[in-house]
Amino acid sequence: MSDKEQQIDWSKTTFEGVRKERLRRAVRMTVRERLEVMDELNRLSERLQTVSCWSGVDAVPEGRYRVDE
């Protein structure tokens, strides 16, 4: 077994482990970093709204993933 394989923290490879690691990283972020991330997510949201296949109700193929029928 190589040193690289021994350094893997397998607890971070589960859904729960990933969630905990994401929370640990978020706690260490400064207010400035959080605002920058929010700004970036806002820009991404605006770009996704301009893509025709993602906008509107008709973006979902007929008969699939609809729960209101």
Side-chain angles (χ1 to χ4, degrees):
M1 200 180 257
S2 71
D3 289 335
K4 191 173 185 176
E5 290 173 340
Q6 290 177 351
Q7 293 176 356
I8 296 173
D9 184 359
W10 291 104
S11 68
K12 295 179 182 176
T13 61
T14 64
F15 288 111
E16 185 67 19
V18 169
R19 187 183 72 80
K20 287 180 180 180
E21 180 62 21
R22 200 171 48 228
L23 287 172
R24 275 192 290 272
R25 289 182 185 185
V27 167
R28 290 192 302 249
M29 291 174 72
T30 64
V31 173
R32 179 183 208 89
E33 290 170 330
R34 291 176 193 209
L35 290 173
E36 288 172 352
V37 168
M38 287 176 58
D39 221 17
E40 186 177 336
L41 289 172
N42 188 39
R43 283 194 302 272
L44 175 62
S45 172
E46 289 172 354
R47 279 187 296 177
L48 288 175
Q49 288 176 1
T50 63
V51 178
S52 63
C53 69
W54 288 98
S55 61
V57 176
D58 294 331
V60 178
E62 191 63 39
R64 298 184 73 193
Y65 310 111
R66 294 189 184 225
V67 294
D68 57 341
E69 293 179 357

